[in-house]
Amino acid sequence: MLGITDLSTYLVGLALIILLPGPNSLYVVSVAARRGPRVAYRAAAGVLCGDTVLMTLSAGGVASLLQASPVLFAAVKFAGAGYLTWLAVGMLRGAWALWRGREVRKAELKAGAPKAPKETVERPFRRALVVSLLNPKAILFFISFFVQFVDPSYAHPVLSFLTLGAWAQLFSFTYLSVLIFSGTFLAATFRRRKRLTAGLSAGAGAAFLGFAAKLSLASAS
């Protein structure tokens, strides 16, 4: 069908790969827990748009260019690791501010002068999009995984890549939706327990540092 071989195996492998935790899914669920499903879907849209760009680049042969040019791969790799580190630092600072804010609000309530916390500006779509795009391993993954299920004798391989990409996006959207509503369900608990929220934010920041370290050590092969 459309030059795709062994679709059932592809779908099973795709499901397993999407279920693996990564910086994108972690960021989406953190936005859902903090700001609700409407804002979280902006982050999910950033993930899907970023993946679409990477799939298109993969189909166009950019992965081969990255494999052939260690310098280019290293540049993209360290740019991605740097951005993940920047996000991680922001999460850790947010966790610390939340923890301190909790103590400050306690003191203000005792003094009878509570103040509303100042909201920080966050652009979930842009953040998720950049995290997706600055991942050279994703480009390499898409082409190395997709090509296994494309019939080389098929006259229109672009249609094969488009179909495989559509399946990937459908799986990703479904998975992110589950994460979003799970995060929303837990949000009420997190709002009541600021220590728990601060701890989870710090944990997410530490995880992003781990992703950055892993990406910086990645090789093109």
Side-chain angles (χ1 to χ4, degrees):
M1 181 181 67
L2 296 175
I4 299 173
T5 61
D6 203 357
L7 180 61
S8 59
T9 301
Y10 168 76
L11 295 179
V12 171
L14 184 64
L16 293 174
I17 291 164
I18 288 177
L19 288 174
L20 291 174
N24 286 333
S25 58
L26 182 60
Y27 179 66
V28 170
V29 76
S30 71
V31 172
R34 289 182 287 107
R35 303 187 61 184
R38 187 171 183 177
V39 179
Y41 269 111
R42 296 182 200 167
V47 172
L48 297 176
C49 288
D51 285 349
T52 298
V53 172
L54 293 181
M55 291 177 194
T56 303
L57 292 175
S58 299
V62 172
S64 298
L65 176 61
L66 290 180
Q67 288 177 317
S69 176
V71 174
L72 178 58
F73 181 85
V76 178
K77 177 181 69 174
F78 286 113
Y83 187 75
L84 289 178
T85 301
W86 180 76
L87 286 182
V89 171
M91 287 182 174
L92 293 172
R93 290 180 62 187
W96 176 245
L98 183 62
W99 182 270
R100 284 187 55 120
R102 179 177 181 272
E103 301 303 324
V104 169
R105 281 193 293 275
K106 275 186 178 180
E108 288 174 343
L109 287 172
K110 287 181 181 178
K115 294 182 180 179
K118 184 179 179 180
E119 284 201 22
T120 57
V121 177
E122 184 176 11
R123 297 178 177 83
F125 176 85
R126 189 176 70 178
R127 284 195 176 187
L129 178 64
V130 174
V131 169
S132 294
L133 292 178
L134 292 179
N135 187 357
K137 272 292 186 182
I139 303 177
L140 299 174
F141 159 74
F142 283 131
I143 195 168
S144 62
F145 186 63
F146 283 7
V147 75
Q148 300 177 50
F149 302 95
V150 175
D151 184 355
S153 64
Y154 186 63
H156 305 287
V158 173
L159 292 178
S160 305
F161 275 98
L162 288 176
T163 304
L164 294 172
W167 276 109
Q169 295 293 60
L170 176 61
F171 275 44
S172 292
F173 177 79
T174 303
Y175 178 56
L176 291 175
S177 294
V178 172
L179 292 180
I180 286 170
F181 286 103
S182 297
T184 305
F185 175 76
L186 295 173
T189 302
F190 294 157
R191 289 192 194 100
R192 292 193 300 269
R193 301 183 179 182
K194 298 300 182 181
R195 284 186 179 181
L196 176 61
T197 305
L200 290 175
S201 296
F208 265 64
L209 285 177
F211 289 130
K214 184 178 179 181
L215 181 58
S216 66
L217 296 174
S219 61
S221 56

